[in-house]
Amino acid sequence: MEKDMERILISEEQIKEKVKELAAELSKEYKGKNPLLVGVLKGALPFMADLIKEMDIYLEIDFMDVSSYGNETVSSGEVKILKDLDTNVEGRHVLFVEDIIDTGGTLAYLKDMFKYRKAASVKIVTILDKPTGRKLDIQADWVGFEVPHEFVVGYGLDYIENYRNLPFIGILKPEIYQ
Ligand code: PRP
Ligand code: MN
Ligand code: MG
């Protein structure tokens, strides 16, 4: 798979260091609050797994699977819920865990929905942020790295479902797309 890379953007070492930093900040913020960390499938899986292992506090985890309505009008932020939580979030401190925020559509929708479900707080941690992709006014509370306006893969991020298992984040060679 590494041969398909144009270049590596963020190394495995850089990711590890950043995950530890974020975990320390989040542990301080959520200590004593028994937060519910909600991973957004499938991209969030590697980050979520690494992050929770570095957080030395009581916490719970759950997952959602959502998909954007596949047309040009996705900027409405409307998403379809493929798998909902098993947990009641009323009164809970919810932390969404994401691999990347691009248009903001996915999280804008989820954040609103969880406020409606009366979560005590709803915050977001993402390992990557692509601010140049934004169509909706949504920001993560904690960001690992900002990435340029390029198609990135690895550490959860896919190209037609492949490359999620790369331990680094990279940019694919253009010929892979063709
Ligand atoms: C990707 C990514 C985020 C979302 C970000 O997920 O993992 O969840 O898109 O894009 P947005 O800010 O424009 O909504 P995708 O829907 O491709 O599913 P996946 O995680 O299963 O790859
Ligand atoms: Mn995703
Ligand atoms: Mg995807």
Side-chain angles (χ1 to χ4, degrees):
M1 283 188 298
E2 218 172 319
K3 67 171 172 31
D4 298 345
M5 295 296 133
E6 174 91 31
R7 65 181 202 276
I8 293 176
L9 207 60
I10 305 163
S11 72
E12 187 173 1
E13 274 315 303
Q14 286 175 293
I15 294 172
K16 278 188 181 155
E17 204 173 302
K18 186 66 77 175
V19 169
K20 278 187 188 164
E21 267 175 49
L22 290 170
E25 287 177 34
L26 292 168
S27 298
K28 218 196 282 173
E29 171 88 12
Y30 286 106
K31 192 180 169 107
K33 293 183 176 172
N34 192 31
L36 180 67
L37 275 64
V38 177
V40 186
L41 296 170
K42 306 171 200 158
L45 179 78
F47 176 43
M48 175 103 161
D50 289 347
L51 185 70
I52 62 171
K53 286 183 285 180
E54 297 291 339
M55 291 179 68
D56 188 21
I57 62 168
Y58 291 102
L59 60 79
E60 295 177 28
I61 64 170
D62 206 338
F63 298 91
M64 289 190 77
D65 193 4
V66 300
S67 85
S68 299
Y69 279 109
N71 57 39
E72 290 306 306
T73 60
V74 286
S75 56
S76 66
E78 203 178 344
V79 302
K80 185 163 66 175
I81 299 194
L82 303 176
K83 186 226 170 284
D84 206 339
L85 294 186
D86 303 323
T87 319
N88 180 2
V89 298
E90 189 173 340
R92 300 294 306 267
H93 293 282
V94 172
L95 176 65
F96 280 107
V97 180
E98 263 289 25
D99 53 343
I100 191 165
I101 305 181
D102 185 6
T103 66
T106 304
L107 279 171
Y109 183 85
L110 290 177
K111 220 178 163 180
D112 277 358
M113 196 176 89
F114 275 59
K115 281 183 189 156
Y116 178 77
R117 290 181 177 183
K118 299 195 173 69
S121 68
V122 184
K123 291 191 176 183
I124 301 166
V125 59
T126 187
I127 190 69
L128 300 182
D129 188 14
K130 193 189 274 187
T132 54
R134 208 70 97 248
K135 289 182 181 159
L136 285 144
D137 183 26
I138 188 103
Q139 269 173 27
D141 301 276
W142 294 271
V143 173
F145 305 92
E146 274 194 15
V147 291
H149 204 68
E150 287 185 86
F151 193 77
V152 294
V153 296
Y155 203 61
L157 290 114
D158 69 303
Y159 171 59
I160 335 182
E161 299 300 326
N162 279 140
Y163 304 104
R164 293 190 198 273
N165 52 326
L166 288 172
F168 55 81
I169 291 155
I171 293 172
L172 283 177
K173 284 178 181 160
E175 61 257 39
I176 304 293
Y177 299 92
Q178 286 138 30

